[in-house]
Amino acid sequence: MDYTIRKAVANDVDSIFRLINELAIFENEPEAVIITPESLREDGFGAVPKFDCFIAESTEEVLGIALVYMRYSTWKGEVLHLEDLIVSEKARGKGIGGALLTEVIKFGNDLGVKRIGWEVIDWNTPAIEFYEHIGANVMRDWHVVQLDEKGIENYLAKR
């Protein structure tokens, strides 16, 4: 399969949104997506972009995305966070995910970051094995901790 990798532009928002929803379905959480194409457009391509995104595309369609943003580590300094690396189900197994990850790593290296980090769901064994194969440290002794909007409200209501 022929494809190219490039930086996303505002016209890609509908394809990015489609792949985000495809990932939510893959992870059995289709109702969890509350963003809209409009918020993606503003957040990624507005006056102050909050993320960068790379696109893998064939001549017909967008096949995958990698969405990243900067974070700050109290131990390392500037780090790059890979929020999602998504390859459409029909395009998996063709090297697209690896090509997108390579682009992210090049981007982070060009920025001079001290670390690139991301999460992987524990039952996505092919992804975990791939990340370990490339030398990434899959930290099984850490847990992801989050407060959603309701959790934030509940916490603050008790203070």
Side-chain angles (χ1 to χ4, degrees):
M1 172 179 282
D2 290 334
Y3 59 88
T4 57
I5 307 289
R6 64 173 173 78
K7 198 95 178 277
V9 296
N11 286 343
D12 293 316
V13 164
D14 289 339
S15 296
I16 294 167
F17 188 69
R18 172 182 55 82
L19 285 167
I20 289 168
N21 279 290
E22 188 175 324
L23 176 65
I25 292 167
F26 175 75
E27 292 185 352
N28 300 312
E29 292 196 62
E31 70 290 339
V33 178
I34 62 170
I35 62 163
T36 64
E38 293 75 24
S39 61
L40 270 176
R41 186 171 285 103
E42 177 60 30
D43 291 343
F45 307 98
V48 182
K50 295 179 174 85
F51 64 82
D52 288 284
C53 186
F54 297 93
I55 297 283
E57 68 180 348
S58 68
T59 54
E60 296 88 35
E61 66 181 322
V62 171
L63 304 168
I65 66 164
L67 192 143
V68 298
Y69 56 89
M70 295 299 294
R71 291 174 57 178
Y72 194 84
S73 165
T74 56
W75 290 8
K76 304 293 183 191
E78 286 191 320
V79 298
L80 187 66
H81 182 77
L82 172 59
E83 179 63 22
D84 279 318
L85 193 160
I86 308 168
V87 177
S88 182
E89 187 173 2
K90 63 185 170 196
R92 291 185 192 141
K94 298 174 176 30
I96 295 168
L100 282 165
L101 185 58
T102 297
E103 199 64 29
V104 167
I105 294 168
K106 287 181 190 175
F107 182 69
N109 186 60
D110 290 347
L111 291 172
V113 300
K114 306 299 183 206
R115 181 177 69 212
I116 301 170
W118 62 96
E119 289 89 31
V120 60
I121 201 160
D122 64 355
W123 51 260
N124 192 346
T125 305
I128 293 167
E129 289 172 352
F130 173 73
Y131 298 145
E132 290 176 328
H133 174 75
I134 66 163
N137 179 19
V138 178
M139 302 169 73
R140 290 177 172 82
D141 53 341
W142 282 75
H143 295 274
V144 176
V145 180
Q146 300 176 335
L147 278 174
D148 61 12
E149 276 185 293
K150 190 67 175 162
I152 293 167
E153 291 170 11
N154 288 342
Y155 177 87
L156 292 175
K158 296 175 184 175
R159 301 296 179 260

